[in-house]
Amino acid sequence: MKETILSIPSPLGPPTDLLKFSWEGTPIKETVSIVGGIQGNHLNGIYLCSRLIRFLDAVEAEIEPDYILKGRIQVIPAVNLPAFQEGNRLWSFDDLDMDLAFPGNDQGEVAEQIAAAVYQHTKDSQFGIILNNADNHYEDAPHLVCMNPDNLTKDFARSLGPPNAREPENSPALRLCLYNQWTENRLPSVILSAGKPNHLDRALCETLFAGLVNSLLWTGVLVNKRKKTKKYPVRFNNRNNEKFVFAGAGGFFLLLVQPGSEIKKGQKIGEIVDMYSGTVIDSPLAQSDGYLVTLRDYPVVYQKEVLAVLLKKQKFSFWPF
Amino acid sequence: MESRAIVSYQTPSGQRVEVVKQTFSSVRKRPAKRVAFVSGLHGNELEGIYLCHLLIRYLQNLQRTQPKAFQGEVHIYPAVNPQAISAGSRLWPFFSQDINRQFGGDNGNSLPAQSASELLDDLKSSVDIAVDFHASNLHLKEAPQIRILDGLHKNLLPLAIQCNVDLIWVHPASPMFESTLGYNLNQARVKTLVIETGVGLRLHRKFADQLFQGMLNLLHHTGVLVDTGSLPKIDPPVIAHPSQVALLQSRYAGLFVGHSDLKKNVAKGEVIGEVLSATDGEVLQEVTAPESGFLFTVREHPLVYPGAPLARIALRDEGCP
Ligand SMILES: [Zn+2]
């Protein structure tokens, strides 16, 4: 079902219509909510939602004969629609970070009304997934973000595919994010972050799509008569395991590594060259071994900026199951 | 006056950006009190930058003519977000981040987060009292006011009434404030007043002169300055608690046309403005004062969506003349 859950008229142009897509099987036991486009330029997530919508419509129409709906699945593909339509992360009218507007206010300004509608429609779900990509200027290897996951959330995370989970920054601003509102409401949830803003990586999305379908099977809202649910190994990294590589100078950053690769201590991750002369002025090195989860994508850098985030292996070997 | 850079980094083209602190030292070994003035966290809020100019000019002259007047220490941070100020934008341009949502906790390692933490550390280590100047955004015009979070008012009101503002608004607490400079300084026991005045990208000399007198009075009241001649003349503010502030909002999308400027005595029923249809001749909403009081906020940005704030009124106390 396609539903307009909020329609905000505009002074002149078309209204901002916030859409929710949902599918129900019987008996309804559980609801899984999937939310994308909290930032207007997080395109992989929005595209992934369209893949899911097409697939679940086919399941509902019995064109995907092996699959049966057993619960409720709801997808809100583009939360910050005004910013998406502008081609920006933020909507220029208010310059507000939509992910600092939760739980929102249905009597407030546009961003607050949208946040309130998204939160109200998802807060009573049994599982939640937020689809993001890296912040502006960065590229993320596919990974999950979750805070103090309990065993249920860990198993949920293991159904999605990416091999690493990180903890979010523990900042006061986190309290205003949809993810934090969900966890405060005891909704087992994860953020799935992959790729870079302003880009749509179809091959990456196909991999993530398979993981999302697997996670729906794991939750039981979707059943496949032939397929068994897969359980993938996930390393749950804490913040202390994150090692940063910083820019020692401003200039062009010419990278030598790829996100998702294993990096050795002392390995050169790139070079910073003077923007006029091309002279190498800094050769940033990895300070430890680790999995390269986030890498600078935009080549223009300021001194002191983060160029790479490495997930250092924990001392104790992990036990994925 | 001594100048010191408290934050410094190199741009991609090799130039340096510095956040400068101007210090007027005390003639005493142990200064009476140490007071800071901070402006320009948001680069489109220029009133505070002008106020810092007035203060620096006055204090430089005073230091030449009456060095003994300085019993305490004054630290002025006139432009703490230089790149946003250069662009006249609220957000730090390259990162599209609001630096006043980057304080406190573990906010990651972005350049805005690093700068926020260096500024906070510098203030915590060098002052007892701080004044953080803000103008409003581009949407609303504000009478000179101090906003104090409910719960901090007992501590801060005695200082706030010295500042020659028109209004002290004791504001309901919200998680949104926990990532601001003001909140985190108050948590660190640096008594901090947050001033809002005027509108984004504009200067109001009358407001600046009024606040300048207030800041001089604050410096005398706290014993930082003594014997400078006649004391600045200040007026007592209106003090409004959360229940005493009425917010008027637009019910429609359209054009808001204001009929009234900020005014101390708006009468019940008085017309403050109208919301008009942008496409036909219709008046959608007549905006009138629900009660008499101090009209301390009026909308400047004519484009409105439903829920947009149009005006705020500090309601007159029952029984007061
Ligand atoms: Zn501000």
Side-chain angles (χ1 to χ4, degrees), chain A residues 274-286:
Chain A
D274 181 273
M275 66 167 274
Y276 297 114
S277 67
T279 321
V280 176
I281 44 181
D282 186 36
S283 299
L285 307 177

Side-chain angles (χ1 to χ4, degrees), chain B residues 41-42 45 90 100 133-136 196:
Chain B
L41 274 175
H42 294 133
E45 300 178 8
R90 175 181 174 85
N100 210 22
F133 294 123
H134 290 257
S136 182
E196 291 269 348

Side-chain angles (χ1 to χ4, degrees), chain A residues 145-176:
Chain A
V145 179
C146 47
M147 176 117 91
N148 306 323
D150 55 14
N151 287 336
L152 180 66
T153 308
K154 280 184 173 174
D155 279 346
F156 181 41
R158 287 175 183 125
S159 69
L160 279 155
N164 276 285
R166 300 166 72 180
E167 285 182 326
E169 289 157 6
N170 186 15
S171 68
L174 180 73
R175 290 186 60 192
L176 306 166

Side-chain angles (χ1 to χ4, degrees), chain B residues 56-276:
Chain B
I56 291 171
R57 196 166 64 172
Y58 174 87
L59 294 172
Q60 273 184 314
N61 187 46
L62 189 65
Q63 207 167 40
R64 261 196 310 274
T65 54
Q66 278 179 266
K68 294 213 168 87
F70 287 83
Q71 296 293 307
E73 230 168 69
V74 186
H75 301 273
I76 303 183
Y77 305 69
V80 292
N81 193 351
Q83 289 197 276
I85 297 166
S86 306
S89 68
R90 175 181 174 85
L91 306 180
W92 188 322
F94 189 76
F95 305 94
S96 306
Q97 277 190 18
D98 184 339
I99 193 176
N100 210 22
R101 300 289 177 272
Q102 297 284 323
F103 292 94
D106 155 25
N107 262 305
N109 287 294
S110 71
L111 194 50
Q114 291 179 55
S115 296
S117 129
E118 285 167 29
L119 173 64
L120 182 64
D121 288 346
D122 192 80
L123 281 160
K124 284 202 290 200
S125 66
S126 49
V127 305
D128 309 302
I129 294 166
V131 182
D132 178 16
F133 294 123
H134 290 257
S136 182
N137 56 22
L138 298 172
H139 295 200
L140 304 171
K141 180 176 173 184
E142 301 283 357
Q145 60 194 269
I146 290 177
R147 294 186 184 170
I148 296 177
L149 287 186
D150 209 357
L152 291 173
H153 57 286
K154 285 216 173 75
N155 215 358
L156 297 180
L157 267 179
L159 284 178
I161 55 173
Q162 304 298 330
C163 294
N164 206 25
V165 289
D166 290 339
L167 174 84
I168 296 172
W169 179 9
V170 180
H171 202 280
S174 141
M176 191 194 83
F177 296 107
E178 292 175 16
S179 49
T180 63
L181 176 66
Y183 179 90
N184 283 282
L185 282 173
N186 276 308
Q187 289 298 104
R189 297 180 187 280
V190 175
K191 290 183 181 181
T192 302
L193 302 171
V194 178
I195 292 189
E196 291 269 348
T197 180
V199 65
L201 291 181
R202 296 290 180 269
L203 288 182
H204 298 82
R205 277 183 68 189
K206 198 171 133 278
F207 292 167
D209 289 341
Q210 176 186 338
L211 287 169
F212 174 59
Q213 294 301 317
M215 295 307 108
L216 292 187
N217 188 61
L218 179 71
L219 292 175
H220 281 94
H221 172 79
T222 50
V224 172
L225 295 182
V226 294
D227 301 333
T228 59
S230 60
L231 279 180
K233 195 185 154 305
I234 65 155
D235 292 316
V238 172
I239 299 175
H241 287 269
S243 64
Q244 293 167 306
V245 172
L247 169 67
L248 312 188
Q249 291 171 287
S250 181
R251 293 198 301 271
Y252 301 92
L255 282 183
F256 173 71
V257 181
H259 289 197
S260 174
D261 202 351
L262 302 168
K263 72 197 275 193
K264 291 260 166 78
N265 287 301
V266 73
K268 181 176 178 173
E270 197 174 323
V271 179
I272 294 167
E274 291 174 322
V275 179
L276 311 174

Side-chain angles (χ1 to χ4, degrees), chain A residues 16 58 101 286:
Chain A
T16 296

Side-chain angles (χ1 to χ4, degrees), chain A residues 90-98, chain B residues 44 89-91 96 98:
Chain A
L90 311 178
W91 182 34
S92 62
F93 186 71
D94 62 13
D95 268 347
L96 285 177
D97 186 335
M98 180 62 89
Chain B
N44 61 353
S89 68
R90 175 181 174 85
L91 306 180
S96 306
D98 184 339

